[in-house]
Amino acid sequence: MTDNAGVESAGPAERIRGYAGEMGPSWIAGAIAAGPATIASLVTGGALFGYGLLWVVVLSAGAGALVQYLSMRLGLLTERGIVAVVEDHLGTTWAWLLVADAVLAAGVAQLVIMKTVATVSATVTGVDARIWGVVWALVLALGLAGRGYRFLELAAKLLVSLVVVAFVASLFVVPVDYGAAAGGLVPSVPSGGALVAAGILGGAVHITLITMQSYTMRSRGWTRDDYGTAAFDVGASMLVAFGVYSLAIFLVAASVLTPEDPSTAVGAAQALGPLVGADAKWLFLLGLWGAAVSTLGGNTIVPPFLLADKLGWGTTIDDARYRWLLVAAALLSAPGAFIGGAVIGQLVLVLAVGTVGTPFAIAVVLYLLNSDAVSDRNSRLANVGGVALLLVTGALAANFVREQVAGGIGPLSGFVLAFAVALGVAIVGLGGKYAVEEVG
């Protein structure tokens, strides 16, 4: 825990240095957000639609910071994991629904992220991707189960910082038409762009990021006394680092890539070579590698956190049951390296599917922050922002579902539709429950 009183009484420069020295939990969320699925969505959006979706990129950074701030408030004001709070104030059924929603989104993402890590590792080293899948799974299991949260936090801060530097550096060797880019700040969704827009926003506003925040802060030992440090942590990681990262990748892709370029995980990086030189290619490729590794580690801890909390177990490696959940989650990611097909499209789809599950998590957080679960209820401004975020993510999720169903009801589109309907009913039920309680 930080010496928050000392930080708050210091001058502005000393306060910022104090906060910066204590950052951590939100950087793990940033490591997941700044991952290969987000890169896939940004590259695809830039290559297909030029600068047209720049407004979504800008929105995603602000929206990501807002939703992490709301999740931070819930975690600090309750000083408990989100699943335990939901179970106490909404009941077991609602708690299991949240766990299932988050575990499904994180589990599917884990496999495709592992495929990306293995593919990029193979491209850089020449060693078979399937071997890399097994190696990375073992590294995850040993690192997380042996060192725990502090190992992951240190790796996340280091890798995210390096990734941001790599992508910003690539921006300087690519010609960007900033006049044309300004036109992309006008909100519009081009035909066929709903999936990509949902993927871009889903990278920053995702159920895994929302649900993990309370657990990472508990692992760090933060309480409501650390509110200032936690708020600074959110702003630095999501608004600044993630925002710069997203803008750099999107502008590079929109400036030089075409729809034919990003066909594989490394297709975008390889396409940059003949277009603007080998430096941009390798900077982009190394950035993708770092982003994939950091996201893989951060995403691995989400299902164990939620399942352990629901089962009443500890959420640190001091509890052997939680440690074995970490090992299982790490090892079960290895089969992702054996999945066939082009990974860019799979990554965008994974984020879009996650977007379908995200509005429910936002609704749960807003409900709890306006209930007796917390001693200090949300301000009107925070509620307005939260509801706006709920409406935007809901609209993007609905557009994505509509596009999937328009192509015919198959196994995937049928699953997405059923998933969306179930969570939509849950959101309506939650809103009705809150209205009845307020009237009462």
Side-chain angles (χ1 to χ4, degrees), residues 12-421:
E14 291 79 7
R15 187 180 303 175
I16 290 174
R17 282 196 294 269
Y19 286 156
E22 295 295 334
M23 291 189 303
S26 287
W27 284 82
I28 298 178
I32 297 178
T38 299
I39 294 175
S41 297
L42 293 166
V43 166
T44 302
L48 293 180
F49 307 110
Y51 299 110
L53 291 176
L54 180 59
W55 69 275
V56 181
V57 178
V58 175
L59 174 66
S60 70
L66 173 59
V67 77
Q68 289 308 117
Y69 171 75
L70 294 174
S71 302
M72 175 211 84
R73 274 184 54 80
L74 181 62
L76 289 184
L77 294 177
T78 60
E79 297 184 3
R80 303 180 68 196
I82 188 173
V83 173
V85 177
V86 169
E87 183 153 21
D88 282 353
H89 294 273
L90 287 171
T92 299
T93 300
W94 291 94
W96 274 119
L97 182 59
L98 181 64
V99 170
D101 188 7
V103 169
L104 177 64
V108 172
Q110 186 78 356
L111 294 173
V112 183
I113 293 168
M114 174 58 87
K115 178 182 177 180
T116 307
V117 173
T119 301
V120 180
S121 299
T123 302
V124 173
T125 64
V127 177
D128 189 277
R130 291 166 294 185
I131 296 176
W132 271 116
V134 175
V135 169
W136 280 116
L138 291 173
V139 169
L140 273 179
L142 293 173
L144 294 177
R147 301 288 301 278
Y149 169 81
R150 299 296 286 188
F151 163 78
L152 181 60
E153 182 185 290
L154 178 62
K157 287 192 284 189
L158 177 62
L159 287 172
V160 170
S161 298
L162 292 176
V163 166
V164 171
V165 170
F167 284 122
V168 170
S170 69
L171 185 61
F172 282 100
V173 295
V174 170
V176 178
D177 186 343
Y178 289 100
L185 295 174
V186 179
S188 66
V189 179
S191 176
L195 171 61
V196 179
I200 293 173
L201 187 62
V205 184
H206 196 276
I207 183 171
T208 56
L209 310 183
I210 297 169
T211 52
M212 74 182 295
Q213 187 76 356
S214 58
Y215 300 102
T216 53
M217 291 190 302
R218 289 182 70 205
S219 296
R220 186 60 181 268
W222 283 359
T223 68
R224 65 188 66 198
D225 294 331
D226 298 291
Y227 197 98
T229 303
F232 183 89
D233 192 40
V234 169
S237 62
M238 293 302 299
L239 193 60
V240 178
F242 178 77
V244 171
Y245 156 95
S246 299
L247 282 173
I249 296 171
F250 183 81
L251 290 174
V252 167
S255 299
V256 297
L257 297 182
T258 67
E260 292 75 26
D261 291 326
S263 57
T264 68
V266 297
Q270 292 172 332
L272 288 174
L275 289 172
V276 291
D279 289 343
K281 167 189 172 180
W282 282 104
L283 283 170
F284 201 91
L285 187 60
L286 291 173
L288 174 61
W289 197 13
V293 172
S294 65
T295 301
L296 185 68
N299 195 72
T300 303
I301 67 174
V302 176
F305 268 150
L306 273 68
L307 283 170
D309 195 18
K310 181 65 189 73
L311 296 171
W313 300 349
T315 54
T316 69
I317 58 173
D318 293 333
D319 190 318
R321 297 167 297 184
Y322 171 74
R323 185 186 293 117
W324 282 111
L325 280 178
L326 282 175
V327 171
L331 296 181
L332 287 173
S333 64
F338 296 81
I339 297 175
V343 75
I344 283 286
Q346 294 169 349
L347 286 167
V348 175
L349 184 61
V350 161
L351 274 188
V353 171
T355 300
V356 173
T358 297
F360 174 67
I362 296 174
V364 167
V365 170
L366 286 174
Y367 174 91
L368 293 172
L369 285 173
N370 288 278
S371 72
D372 59 0
V374 296
S375 57
D376 181 15
R377 290 195 176 194
N378 252 3
S379 67
R380 179 173 299 179
L381 182 60
N383 280 332
V384 168
V387 170
L389 197 55
L390 177 61
L391 294 176
V392 170
T393 56
L396 287 174
N399 283 334
F400 166 61
V401 172
R402 184 163 56 247
E403 282 192 358
Q404 290 293 304
V405 174
I409 303 295
L412 177 60
S413 59
F415 168 77
V416 170
L417 178 61
F419 185 47
V421 169

